[in-house]
Amino acid sequence: MKFYPIVLSLMLLFGGEAMLAAVDHDHTVHADENAKHDGHDHSAHAGEKAHAAADSHEGEEEGLVHLSEAQRKLIRIRVSKAVAGEIDSTLRLPGEVRLNLEETAKVMPRIPGFVNRIPVKEGERVEKGALLATLTSHKLGEYYSNYNSAKEQEELARSEFEMAEKLIGGNATSRKEYLQYKREYAEAVIARRHAEELLRSLLQGPGHDGHAHAELKSGDPVICTTYEIRSPLAGTVIAKNITLGENFVEDNTTPVFTVSNLAEPWLELRAAAADLPRLKTGMAVEISDAAGGHEYHGKIIYVAPLIDETTRTGLVRVEVDNRDGGLRPGQFVTGLIRTAAAAKSVVVPREAVQLIAGETVVFVPKGDGFAAQPVVTGQGAGQEIQIVSGLKPGESFVSGGAFELKSILLTSGMDAHAGHGH
């Protein structure tokens, strides 16, 4: 938006001078005519002046932008001396607090049943193994009954097999009968193990450890229909989707509790593609909230190898210490990362660096004009950028008005590459 008023002003200024030049030319013509009327021929002198002027312009270098004093003031040309410095190595990246998926669990019933107790509330902190809810499940009772039956069958088959071993030793039974008892015992062991593993897959011990059954006598087989839902990790109950009396069917796929460790959330930052090579796992990160009143500390645990096609940024995941609970998932924050400082070199304002015909240049004073000088840039931060080569400390360059010089150069049709070699 800045380009149009400046160019218009320059056109008006250049146009005004052109008009003055036209007036001067007209005045010269009339003067020549008057001279002819006086009986003197000045054409030879005019030709000598034209050749002299042409000779003087032949020495001027092509590609220079020449400005009058008025034009310089109009576009506010500012010339500075290049100085060596260091780019601020601190990256300030926007981000958002997210749940730590490695410390988050979605809990659901593994067996059908009716809800008869919910001892926790949403937002409550729980320890690992804490009881979240209990269900009455006849399916669980069926599994325990099958386990107890398989266990009794195993004991019976084992007794018969041991007896067959004694008989075969005294030649009181055939080899065929002995192998039959051995096979039946092996099948009973397999059946018992299958029933036991089925219970364990539901997080139930075969002996129903942890449950009190005062009405049962010692040694009686346990057949229980009470199924317990317990937290697999320590954290906060951040979601609860369960009510008393609710019936969960066998093919249920809906989580009823979400438990997450909010003391160690993730911070997902977005970094420009050019900054990603400077970021490594393990680097320290300082986090400030939107209000700027609190600071937190974390470290980078993941730098995405891919660039988002929409934002053209890369994901940088940070694990942060949030034991005071000040950071909440969904909150916007800023991450400050101090990377390795760039080598000391010339540092100039970003506005001094322009792109012309695919080449990065700065404008430098040359004679009574300004020339576009190619440079190689390095790291940048804020309003400053590093010049790796093409401009040395102590050399003069245009620090203000470079964009306007570029506009004049392009609109005048000059060759920006004239006057310097490659």
Side-chain angles (χ1 to χ4, degrees):
M1 302 302 294
K2 176 181 177 184
F3 170 77
Y4 298 104
I6 291 296
V7 172
L8 181 60
S9 301
L10 292 175
M11 291 175 65
L12 291 174
L13 185 57
F14 284 127
E17 291 189 352
M19 293 174 65
L20 289 174
V23 171
D24 289 342
H25 175 72
D26 185 61
H27 176 72
T28 303
V29 171
H30 286 290
D32 289 342
E33 290 177 355
N34 292 334
K36 288 182 180 180
H37 286 297
D38 291 340
H40 296 281
D41 185 6
H42 298 278
S43 60
H45 296 290
E48 291 176 0
K49 290 182 179 180
H51 284 297
D55 292 339
S56 66
H57 284 289
E58 284 178 2
E60 292 181 355
E61 186 178 355
E62 295 183 3
L64 289 182
V65 179
H66 297 276
L67 300 177
S68 66
E69 189 62 32
Q71 292 166 346
R72 293 192 183 205
K73 290 181 179 179
L74 177 64
I75 63 178
R76 298 177 182 178
I77 291 292
R78 185 171 64 256
V79 177
S80 303
K81 294 285 187 181
V83 296
E86 293 182 354
I87 291 291
D88 182 6
S89 61
T90 300
L91 288 177
R92 293 170 174 81
L93 305 179
E96 184 177 352
V97 181
R98 299 283 191 182
L99 292 178
N100 184 338
L101 297 184
E102 294 180 355
E103 292 288 335
T104 299
K106 293 184 179 294
V107 187
M108 66 179 69
R110 302 190 179 197
I111 196 169
F114 293 89
V115 181
N116 56 34
R117 187 185 175 203
I118 308 172
V120 298
K121 297 180 180 179
E122 202 167 27
E124 183 177 339
R125 176 166 177 78
V126 296
E127 297 299 325
K128 181 178 181 179
L131 181 65
L132 302 178
T134 60
L135 284 71
T136 298
S137 174
H138 295 290
K139 192 73 173 180
L140 180 61
E142 179 183 333
Y143 291 156
Y144 270 109
S145 179
N146 292 339
Y147 168 73
N148 292 327
S149 176
K151 189 177 180 181
E152 291 292 334
Q153 289 292 334
E154 180 187 359
E155 288 295 321
L156 179 59
R158 183 177 63 82
S159 299
E160 292 178 341
F161 173 63
E162 290 176 349
M163 183 180 297
E165 282 187 321
K166 294 178 180 179
L167 293 175
I168 195 68
N171 296 321
T173 186
S174 66
R175 180 72 178 172
K176 182 179 180 179
E177 290 179 341
Y178 167 75
L179 293 176
Q180 181 180 349
Y181 286 122
K182 185 177 182 179
R183 182 179 64 254
E184 290 174 354
Y185 175 54
E187 292 173 349
V189 171
I190 292 172
R192 190 266 306 166
R193 287 178 178 174
H194 175 73
E196 182 176 330
E197 290 304 318
L198 181 59
L199 287 172
R200 293 190 186 280
S201 69
L202 300 173
L203 303 182
Q204 305 297 309
H208 218 64
D209 302 333
H211 287 261
H213 301 282
E215 72 280 5
L216 297 177
K217 297 180 180 179
S218 178
D220 288 343
V222 176
I223 299 178
C224 183
T225 59
T226 301
Y227 175 73
E228 299 177 339
I229 302 176
R230 294 185 175 272
S231 177
L233 51 80
T236 302
V237 179
I238 60 174
K240 187 180 74 168
N241 185 27
I242 186 172
T243 55
L244 287 174
E246 188 173 1
N247 178 33
F248 288 94
V249 295
E250 193 161 3
D251 59 351
N252 171 68
T253 58
T254 303
V256 294
F257 292 100
T258 302
V259 182
S260 183
N261 179 12
L262 300 181
E264 295 180 1
W266 281 346
L267 175 62
E268 294 191 349
L269 305 176
R270 308 302 306 189
D275 292 327
L276 287 175
R278 302 165 59 186
L279 302 175
K280 308 294 181 185
T281 57
M283 294 178 69
V285 183
E286 294 181 9
I287 301 104
S288 59
D289 57 21
H294 296 83
E295 288 189 357
Y296 301 86
H297 301 278
K299 65 178 181 179
I300 297 177
I301 60 173
Y302 174 73
V303 179
L306 303 177
I307 300 296
D308 187 276
E309 294 182 358
T310 303
T311 63
R312 296 300 173 186
T313 59
L315 171 66
V316 180
R317 183 171 293 148
V318 177
E319 192 173 67
V320 58
D321 183 358
N322 186 41
R323 282 175 288 186
D324 65 353
L327 295 176
R328 300 173 182 272
Q331 180 179 355
F332 291 110
V333 293
T334 301
L336 279 68
I337 308 171
R338 290 181 173 83
T339 62
K344 196 168 186 179
S345 61
V346 171
V347 176
V348 302
R350 284 187 183 272
E351 63 176 314
V353 180
Q354 299 295 322
L355 186 66
I356 301 178
E359 190 171 48
T360 305
V361 303
V362 296
F363 284 92
V364 297
K366 204 165 188 179
D368 60 349
F370 299 94
Q373 180 165 299
V375 294
V376 177
T377 58
Q379 295 183 15
Q383 298 304 312
E384 294 184 327
I385 190 168
Q386 178 188 35
I387 301 296
V388 177
S389 64
L391 188 66
K392 298 178 181 179
E395 292 183 346
S396 298
F397 72 100
V398 176
S399 57
F403 177 79
E404 288 75 16
L405 288 177
K406 169 185 173 180
S407 302
I408 296 171
L409 188 66
L410 296 179
T411 55
S412 65
M414 297 181 186
D415 183 3
H417 295 85
H420 59 79
H422 294 282

